Amino acid sequence: MKIISVLFLLATAVATCHGQDSVENGLEYQILPLRLKSGSGGQHIQGITCSSWRLAVETHNIINWKTVPQECEGYIGNYILGDQYRGDSKAVNREAYFYVRDLNLTKDGKNIWVFDIDETSLSNLPYYAENGFGSTPYNDTAFNEWVNLGMAPVLPETKKLYKKLLSFGIKIVFLTGRPESQRAITTKNLNDAGYYQWEKLILKDKEQYKGKTAVTYKSTERKKLEQQGYRIIGNIGDQWSDILGYSTGDRTFKLPDPLYYIA
C-alpha cells in the first residue's frame, strides 16, 4: 500500500502545477525550492554545487556515473518534484513540435518518430522517490518489480508531443531497453497512460544484445527500421545513449534525467 500511496502523490505532482504547498483529495504535500548543495561523487569539492553537477550530467561531461551524489539527494528530489523539471521537459518537447510543424513531409506512411519509454514517455518517479532519487545503487530486481506493476504515470509534455505527431501523420515507434518479457505489462501501462496508437513497440532481446551497450542496441534497431523503408524524422529520449550512435534520425531531442545513467 505504501508504494501505491507514493504513486498517487507523485503522479499528481508530475501532472499538476508545482512550486507551492498544495492540498488535493485530502493529501497535503510541500514542494520545496531548489537548494544548492556542494559535492560530487559523494565528496565535497570546493566550488562545485549540485546544480553544476546536474548541468555537467545533462551536457554529457560527467559520464559513467553510478549514483546521484549522496548530498544531492534532496536537491534532485526537489528538482524532479518541482516545476523546473516540468518546465525543462516542456522546453524540449516544444522545440520538437516547432521543428516538425514546419516540415514539408512526404505523406507515404513512412515517416516515424522514435520515443524512448522510461523517463521519456512514462515516469518511474514513484520508484525513485522510494529509493533515494537515484542516490542508492541500482537494484535490478526491485526496479523490475516496480515495472511489472504497470503503474508508471505519464510524462505530460511528452504525451502532448505524441498527440501532435499523430495529427501530422507521423507514426510512432517506441524503442525501449525493457526486455521482451515485459511486453504485455508495458503495452498495458502505455495504454493506461494514454498512448493508444503506435507503429511498433521494440523491446530488447537480452540474448541477442547480451554484453552490448545501449547505444549499440538502439542504433541497430533504428537501422533495421530504416532498412524497412521508414524515415526517422525525430528521436527523443532521456539518455544520451538514446540519441547517440548511428541511424539517429533527422533530429534528436534530449530530455532531462539526473536520476541515472545508461551507457
Side-chain angles (χ1 to χ4, degrees):
M1 291 299 294
K2 182 180 180 182
I3 195 168
I4 293 176
S5 298
V6 172
L7 171 61
F8 178 82
L9 175 60
L10 295 178
T12 301
V14 168
T16 58
C17 295
H18 306 296
Q20 58 186 4
D21 294 348
S22 302
V23 178
E24 186 168 335
N25 296 325
L27 294 175
E28 182 175 353
Y29 57 94
Q30 183 181 38
I31 303 303
L32 302 176
L34 299 183
R35 295 175 178 172
L36 302 184
K37 295 183 178 180
S38 296
S40 177
Q43 296 180 346
H44 287 277
I45 300 177
Q46 186 68 30
I48 300 296
T49 66
C50 291
S51 60
S52 297
W53 177 84
R54 183 172 66 85
L55 173 64
V57 163
E58 296 298 356
T59 54
H60 212 217
N61 289 312
I62 295 178
I63 64 174
N64 296 325
W65 51 280
K66 302 301 182 184
T67 62
V68 170
Q70 193 67 49
E71 67 271 29
C72 294
E73 175 185 348
Y75 169 83
I76 294 300
N78 284 325
Y79 167 72
I80 290 291
L81 289 174
D83 62 356
Q84 188 64 54
Y85 174 63
R86 178 77 182 270
D88 290 347
S89 297
K90 181 177 181 180
V92 175
N93 280 290
R94 181 179 57 193
E95 286 305 309
Y97 165 68
F98 288 160
Y99 153 70
V100 75
R101 178 191 61 184
D102 296 329
L103 295 179
N104 185 17
L105 298 173
T106 301
K107 298 182 179 180
D108 58 1
K110 290 297 184 179
N111 298 317
I112 62 172
W113 194 289
V114 176
F115 281 77
D116 175 51
I117 292 182
D118 294 300
E119 275 56 69
T120 298
S121 306
L122 300 175
S123 171
N124 295 300
L125 178 54
Y127 170 82
Y128 284 102
E130 288 276 292
N131 291 274
F133 293 105
S135 65
T136 59
Y138 174 73
N139 184 311
D140 185 67
T141 299
F143 181 73
N144 281 299
E145 287 176 352
W146 153 253
V147 170
N148 288 331
L149 293 175
M151 299 174 68
V154 71
L155 281 165
E157 304 304 336
T158 302
K159 185 177 173 182
K160 290 178 183 177
L161 174 63
Y162 161 86
K163 289 182 175 180
K164 290 291 186 182
L165 294 174
L166 288 177
S167 72
F168 292 142
I170 297 174
K171 295 180 177 179
I172 306 301
V173 172
F174 289 108
L175 174 55
T176 175
R178 294 185 178 191
E180 274 289 346
S181 61
Q182 292 177 334
R183 178 175 291 276
I185 195 63
T186 299
T187 298
K188 181 180 183 302
N189 201 160
L190 286 170
N191 286 161
D192 289 346
Y195 298 104
Y196 301 114
Q197 181 180 343
W198 57 78
E199 182 75 357
K200 292 179 182 290
L201 170 58
I202 303 171
L203 295 98
K204 190 174 184 179
D205 183 325
K206 283 195 169 183
E207 289 302 314
Q208 179 182 354
Y209 291 105
K210 186 176 182 179
K212 305 293 185 181
T213 65
V215 171
T216 297
Y217 158 59
K218 293 208 166 183
S219 294
T220 301
E221 293 299 323
R222 290 192 302 262
K223 184 65 175 178
K224 289 179 182 178
L225 291 169
E226 291 180 334
Q227 291 171 342
Q228 293 165 20
Y230 291 108
R231 289 184 296 275
I232 303 176
I233 302 302
N235 176 14
I236 189 168
D238 65 294
Q239 297 290 316
W240 280 94
S241 54
D242 295 329
I243 59 176
L244 293 178
Y246 52 89
S247 300
T248 55
D250 293 344
R251 187 166 171 186
T252 61
F253 296 87
K254 168 71 169 66
L255 286 166
D257 185 359
L259 294 169
Y260 56 86
Y261 179 88
I262 298 176

